[in-house]
Amino acid sequence: MAEIVFDQIGKTYAGGYAAIRNLNMTIRDGEFLILVGPSGCGKSTALRMIAGLEDISEGRLMINGAVVNDLAPRDRDIAMVFQSYALYPHLTVAENIGFGLRVRGMDKAEIARKVDETARLLELEDYLARKPAQLSGGQRQRVAMGRALARSPQAFLMDEPLSNLDARLRGQMRAEIARMQKLSGITTVYVTHDQVEAMTMGDRVAVMKGGVLQQLGTPRSLYDRPANLFVASFMGAPAMNLLEGELVAGHGGIEARFGGVAIPFSAGVLAERPGVGRAAGRAVVLGVRPDVFQPVDGVNAPSSAIPGTVAFIEDLGADLLAHVDVEMADHLKALATEQDEVALSAPRLRVMIDSTRRVSRGERLSLVADAARIHLFDAATEAAIRD
Ligand code: ADP
């Protein structure tokens, strides 16, 4: 069991590249923490520092209160599971799981007990005599985890362990890893660039960008209260719509204006988010998740509605994702992440529509959004405007 603390940690690679800047973060004992961000943001570097595989340029890394900056990897009692879960092909599942224990000289009966216990946890009891080649991808993944788990390490580190699996299996393994982590209670740090994994697996999520921690919190808090534009656009699929506008004091309140549309923020919303009232006169970015837009009939549309035309529709089963061309396309802000290529190539609004409502290509509709559910960001600093 371990608490892991990053205290003002920095990492500069030879050549001068600053991969991590002033990272302050406490990973709690027993916690499942997800480290997420786009490629190159420093996730693996942070993980490798915990394992002791990367020198620390600045700050202190502590495990259970002891500074471990100079502690060798083998003395840290930490297990790492990588993307390529190399199993020994000539050994059985039982031998693979027990491998690390044998190497450490644990006695046979104790190894057998540990292997059985681990196999039960991972539901691998029926496969113990098989060789890796006789297993499915998911089962192999479980054996790889079993091998790490059998050692009862202080902490588990996982670097994109599911990226080699197909989508169906990935979904299954997401749930399985989360379940196993809870059962074992071992502090786990899990690196991914996949925001679905980030939203669904961990207790808390640390979002990184360019070597800088952007926000640390529960998946729900990051989704509901993103600290800045980057977190807002990174978390959630399909991605949030971003519109550039201005906050203006008028009509006895505050409204967001862009391209002929005015969205009023009621006294209720302002009471909940006093920062919005103070931001009058500022250039802002409005963030509207695809499920927050409601299509309304053009004739009855209020002045806060955005008129548009359905360019195309993706049928997602329970919902339809409509891509809507709008006249004020110059107010649409391209996403900060690469996760939505469609949005980057054509500035359109993404609107999630219940599949029971009929909508067709070329249809004209007006979109309204509940102001209480619209996120606001300062256009200059990209920080959320809220409190
Ligand atoms: P991530 O895991 O988020 O994709 P990494 O932690 O692997 O990111 O890398 C962060 C940054 O540091 C990247 O820009 C990468 O190119 C750079 N980097 C990683 N390893 C080295 C190295 N050994 N030498 C120099 N630069 C490196």
Side-chain angles (χ1 to χ4, degrees):
M1 302 296 240
E3 178 196 72
I4 301 166
V5 176
F6 285 81
D7 179 23
Q8 302 188 358
I9 292 272
K11 170 70 187 182
T12 306
Y13 279 110
Y17 186 78
I20 305 261
R21 296 164 209 234
N22 192 30
L23 177 59
N24 291 293
M25 174 164 79
T26 296
I27 302 159
R28 299 169 187 151
D29 186 16
E31 180 170 38
F32 191 170
L33 183 104
I34 309 279
L35 213 48
V36 71
S39 175
C41 73
K43 309 177 293 288
S44 301
T45 301
L47 198 74
R48 290 164 56 80
M49 282 176 168
I50 302 174
L53 302 172
E54 205 70 76
D55 286 339
I56 294 169
S57 313
E58 286 164 57
R60 299 184 305 165
L61 182 71
M62 291 178 286
I63 298 179
N64 286 335
V67 177
V68 298
N69 288 40
D70 299 318
L71 197 65
R74 65 176 176 281
D75 297 328
R76 295 190 185 200
D77 192 17
I78 278 170
M80 197 139 173
V81 179
F82 293 94
Q83 191 176 106
S84 50
Y85 35 88
L87 298 174
Y88 299 106
H90 57 288
L91 300 183
T92 64
V93 167
E95 287 162 344
N96 265 288
I97 294 176
F99 189 83
L101 307 177
R102 213 171 66 207
V103 169
R104 283 155 182 237
M106 189 182 274
D107 79 65
K108 265 199 170 140
E110 181 68 359
I111 294 176
R113 198 185 62 75
K114 267 278 176 199
V115 168
D116 279 348
E117 183 188 310
T118 307
R120 217 171 324 121
L121 186 66
L122 294 171
E123 291 167 12
L124 284 168
E125 300 109 307
D126 298 340
Y127 307 96
L128 285 171
R130 290 201 196 174
K131 299 276 174 65
Q134 299 165 297
L135 300 175
S136 70
Q139 290 163 343
R140 273 181 232 162
Q141 178 75 47
R142 266 187 272 164
V143 176
M145 276 196 273
R147 194 166 60 183
L149 197 60
R151 282 174 41 196
S152 307
Q154 288 209 61
F156 251 142
L157 307 180
M158 304 192 188
D159 197 348
E160 310 242 359
L162 306 185
S163 56
N164 285 341
L165 305 179
D166 67 49
R168 196 183 58 82
L169 197 51
R170 223 166 34 229
Q172 198 178 318
M173 288 304 294
R174 278 204 300 267
E176 210 158 298
I177 291 176
R179 180 185 72 90
M180 183 207 73
Q181 195 278 334
K182 280 286 151 280
L183 280 175
S184 70
I186 296 176
T187 309
T188 301
V189 185
Y190 183 106
V191 160
T192 181
H193 65 274
D194 180 330
Q195 60 84 34
V196 176
E197 291 180 13
M199 276 303 292
T200 56
M201 292 178 74
D203 298 314
R204 287 192 304 162
V205 180
V207 182
M208 293 186 67
K209 178 194 166 198
V212 178
L213 177 64
Q214 305 290 305
Q215 191 171 3
L216 172 62
T218 61
R220 178 48 60 188
S221 71
L222 299 197
Y223 188 84
D224 288 342
R225 299 169 67 95
N228 60 39
L229 203 49
F230 178 79
V231 175
S233 57
F234 193 78
M235 299 297 283
M240 188 185 268
N241 297 287
L242 303 176
L243 291 144
E244 290 170 331
E246 198 186 352
L247 275 187
V248 183
H251 298 130
I254 298 273
E255 54 189 40
R257 290 194 193 152
F258 52 96
V261 172
I263 300 179
F265 287 86
S266 68
V269 173
L270 293 178
E272 219 168 87
R273 293 191 269 166
V276 176
R278 290 193 301 271
R282 299 220 312 251
V284 294
V285 177
L286 285 82
V288 188
R289 297 210 183 269
D291 59 313
V292 169
F293 274 128
Q294 296 293 328
V296 295
D297 171 355
V299 182
N300 300 315
S303 60
S304 61
I306 304 172
T309 307
V310 177
F312 66 98
I313 300 160
E314 285 178 78
D315 193 338
L316 306 178
D319 296 297
L320 304 172
L321 181 63
H323 296 254
V324 179
D325 277 329
V326 291
E327 278 131 47
M328 74 265 299
D330 53 330
H331 288 270
L332 289 182
K333 191 174 164 64
L335 291 173
T337 70
E338 65 266 54
Q339 66 161 298
D340 201 327
E341 283 155 28
V342 175
L344 285 178
S345 56
R348 291 185 170 124
L349 290 179
R350 293 169 300 282
V351 183
M352 203 68 102
I353 298 173
D354 190 298
S355 65
T356 56
R357 184 192 188 277
R358 279 180 184 223
V359 61
S360 47
R361 214 176 135 178
E363 181 178 332
R364 296 212 24 97
L365 38 78
S366 287
L367 299 168
V368 293
D370 175 2
R373 298 180 66 196
I374 295 178
H375 298 265
L376 287 169
F377 305 93
D378 186 295
T381 66
E382 302 198 343
I385 299 172
R386 182 175 285 280
D387 304 320

